[in-house]
Amino acid sequence: MMSFFQKYKLKHYVNYAVIALFTLIFTILSLSGALHSSTQYLLEAMGISMILAVSLNLVVGLLGELSLGHAGFMCLGAYLGGKVASLLAPSLGESSPLTLLLSLAVGGVVAALAGLLIGLPALRLKGDYLAVVTLAFGEIVRVLFKNSGESFGGAQGLATPRFDRQTLFLWIFLSLLVCLFFLQNLMRSKHGRAITAIRDNEIAARASGVSVVKYKLLAFMLSSFFAGVAGVLFSFSQFNVRFDHFDYNYSIEILVMIVLGGLGSINGSLVAASLITFLNVKLADVLTGNLAILQDLVYALILILVIIYSNAPALKNFRERFNLRRLWGKIRKPKKADASVQRDDANDWAEIPTKIPMNEILSTDLSPVDSSVKARGDAPADREEDRHD
Amino acid sequence: MNFLVTLINGLSLGGIYAMIALGYTMVYGIAKMLNFAHGDVLMVGGYVMFVFLAINAHPLLALLVAVIFCTLFGIGIEYVAYRPLRGASPLAVLITAIGVSYLLQSLAQIIFGSETRYVTVAELGLVKIGSLSLSVATLVTLGVCLAVMLVLHLFVRYSRIGRAMVAVSEDRGAASLMGISVNFIISLTFAIGFALAALASFFYLMKTPIITPTLGSMPGIKAFTAAVIGGIGSIPGAMLGGLLLGLVECFSNAVPALAPYTDAIEFALLIVILLGKPTGFLGKIRREKV
């Protein structure tokens, strides 16, 4: 039990705890009937965005391949999961968890297969070329469902069963927790390390024996699986799936979330996804009538300013001076911050199980290093002598 | 006979795509960024012409004003939104370009409303060549597009500034050491790209006389696709890709069974071509070095 806590630090569990706590509070509120339906809708939208952002982060932030077709995978999941749900609903009941779980499985698996299909070109293409393939994939999926005819509702969109509103967001947040659990543990395993190694340097990763083919495909499949799951949940949340919702602007909105949250940071994408969704839904609520057209303008301006502020090379000094983390550190621990970090380090070192006594290593006199530096400094002179010969 | 008409229609649509794709590809080659706002310049140019035609200006005058406006606009956007991010990560620049695209669309929506506007830039009628009846607009489009591409090709190949552009696209650092002002060249690239998009907008509206705030997004993506098929960064590649895409679109639209799937066919074509040639037809293959 001790080793369990040493291996898995508490901070790795904070995000589960926060999400679980929120879910619990809102479940109680929802069951007691105190939750307004618009809040419920907002929660559903936030949960779905978070699943989408975290899953896209696996490909863009952790594998390092730009994908502009995440909404395409979501679209596949939404249509197929919605179809399965509407087929099962008459026999199992509209709000039965079994209907939901089966359609989640079908939507996720189909999207994962599509992810495998798109992962294959990813083995051959680089950077922007791969990005345009994913964009093309998203558009193809949309056109196919638009012309699907009766079976998928065609231009009218597919009607999905009416799931119980009071518990739907609970299912969405459970899915989010499963997604988080899966991805975070993956990233801390050797498989996750392999994926980030490919991002950092593909050639070096390959040389170190990482199977690039396997891990690229794995990352694409997992990412699209969860996008498909999010799609199914979306179809339950909307009662109706329409192809034109999943255009490339939607893929880009998800991309914006993870870029603002910080590429590769799972907690960052959770925060950014919930904030942006909140902003979008609230802006749509607040700016009604003539002001409604301001929504896109405000969104676009915020987007441009935030990106320029957080990325412009000219603002680097300014950013470092007004860094939130630094300010927080100043408020919390005025001077002792550095000392505590060092002490933690020493503890960590001492805990490493080894047959060599750590204290001896740490107290070894390092002075020979200086002489070796001097010797290396002499080397050019030697070479010159050689040349004279 | 029908085949020939479709062929010429396809080439003229391809010419429009090629003109937009040229802007995409030049900006990518020289500024090393995907300017997702490029398609929206088509919309901006369209609205400028709409305003000038509404006050009964001559169509060519409207076109001239639109081209000048978009040129200045391109320089302005580059200066305000993209220049501060020079040297930042490509993804940040990409997101900014997307932000600019949203900004342009929402500004157009605020100024002109989201309703569809109809605009007749020019009515040129039909011409009969033998037993073929072709619209003059198509022929003019095709002719102008080919002329523009030729001029641009010669400009980049033989003029001093064009050579400087090639130099910047190959090695920005070395080019600036040779006394080339990189900032000037990048501004100029945006100016040329946006001017071409405004010109393309004239011919696009001649073909489909409808303006909405999201007019530019689909032709923009198609032109981007065309640029990638030809090999992004390559000027002849953009022409080739544009013409190919235009032909595919027109021939697919001509077959009733395929017509609803035209977009899917074009994008599938892109994927197939990239699988065969991972950097497009004329793209440079960069060997990865350790």
Side-chain angles (χ1 to χ4, degrees), chain B:
Chain B
M1 285 307 131
N2 221 342
F3 174 79
L4 264 179
V5 174
T6 316
L7 182 74
I8 290 175
N9 279 338
L11 286 176
S12 109
L13 179 66
I16 297 174
Y17 284 156
M19 275 205 273
I20 313 170
L22 281 173
Y24 255 118
T25 219
M26 283 175 72
V27 168
Y28 182 87
I30 291 161
K32 297 278 176 287
M33 65 168 286
L34 286 178
N35 181 20
F36 258 86
H38 203 88
D40 294 293
V41 182
L42 203 70
M43 175 270 295
V44 172
Y47 274 116
V48 172
M49 280 187 275
F50 169 74
V51 169
F52 271 79
L53 289 171
I55 56 169
N56 286 324
H58 192 273
L60 287 180
L61 178 69
L63 171 65
L64 188 67
V65 174
V67 169
I68 292 172
F69 183 83
C70 286
T71 308
L72 296 177
F73 196 65
I75 296 172
I77 285 185
E78 196 273 328
Y79 192 81
V80 174
Y82 301 150
R83 190 168 292 183
L85 288 173
R86 185 104 14 103
S89 85
L91 206 54
V93 187
L94 176 76
I95 302 272
T96 314
I98 290 161
V100 170
S101 159
Y102 284 167
L103 187 73
L104 294 182
Q105 290 182 11
S106 66
L107 279 178
Q109 204 179 355
I110 288 168
I111 299 171
F112 296 99
S114 53
E115 62 265 32
T116 309
R117 309 267 185 175
Y118 296 91
V119 57
T120 357
V121 284
E123 281 182 2
L124 296 174
L126 293 171
V127 66
K128 279 207 180 265
I129 304 171
S131 58
L132 286 175
S133 71
L134 291 162
S135 89
V136 180
T138 310
L139 294 177
V140 171
T141 306
L142 186 56
V144 172
C145 291
L146 291 178
V148 164
M149 290 178 213
L150 188 67
V151 169
L152 192 69
H153 184 67
L154 295 177
F155 171 74
V156 171
R157 198 72 189 273
Y158 296 109
S159 78
R160 240 178 116 71
I161 295 177
R163 309 282 296 168
M165 287 174 145
V166 176
V168 171
S169 88
E170 286 193 353
D171 190 328
R172 196 182 283 179
S176 79
L177 288 178
M178 296 300 115
I180 296 170
S181 162
V182 172
N183 278 337
F184 170 74
I185 292 295
I186 291 181
S187 288
L188 186 73
T189 309
F190 271 89
I192 293 177
F194 279 38
L196 283 175
L199 193 63
S201 136
F202 182 79
F203 295 112
Y204 190 79
L205 290 177
M206 211 139 87
K207 208 172 160 55
T208 43
I210 303 164
I211 310 184
T212 60
T214 52
L215 161 79
S217 61
M218 209 48 188
I221 298 183
K222 293 273 178 70
F224 176 43
T225 308
V228 174
I229 287 181
I232 194 155
S234 145
I235 290 177
M239 302 180 197
L240 191 68
L243 291 176
L244 181 68
L245 208 64
L247 283 175
V248 170
E249 183 164 332
C250 279
F251 275 105
S252 163
N253 273 334
V255 181
L258 293 180
Y261 296 100
T262 301
D263 287 352
I265 291 172
E266 283 168 82
F267 290 121
L269 179 78
L270 166 84
I271 296 181
V272 170
I273 287 175
L274 282 188
L275 281 180
K277 281 190 77 74
T279 51
F281 282 129
L282 301 175
K284 265 179 262 170
I285 298 167
R286 287 222 171 83
R287 291 212 72 130
E288 240 183 301
K289 289 177 195 155
V290 181

Side-chain angles (χ1 to χ4, degrees), chain A residues 124 126 128-129 147 248 307 313, chain B residues 28 84 96 232 260 275-276 288:
Chain A
R124 221 169 125 72
K126 296 256 175 293
D128 300 319
Y129 287 96
N147 297 302
Y248 92 110
I307 289 286
Chain B
Y28 182 87
T96 314
I232 194 155
L275 281 180
E288 240 183 301

Side-chain angles (χ1 to χ4, degrees), chain A residues 127-149:
Chain A
D128 300 319
Y129 287 96
L130 177 63
V132 71
V133 164
T134 54
L135 190 153
F137 165 77
E139 293 295 313
I140 290 174
V141 169
R142 212 160 57 94
V143 173
L144 289 185
F145 279 115
K146 184 179 175 183
N147 297 302
S148 58

Side-chain angles (χ1 to χ4, degrees), chain A residues 272-316:
Chain A
S274 44
L275 273 181
I276 288 180
T277 315
F278 182 80
L279 196 71
N280 268 341
V281 174
K282 281 294 162 192
L283 278 179
D285 276 357
V286 175
L287 301 174
T288 48
N290 285 332
L291 289 175
I293 47 175
L294 285 179
Q295 186 196 340
D296 292 339
L297 186 72
V298 172
Y299 183 76
L301 281 176
I302 291 177
L303 187 62
I304 296 174
L305 292 178
V306 168
I307 289 286
I308 289 184
Y309 173 74
S310 56
N311 285 285
L315 294 174
K316 196 161 176 270

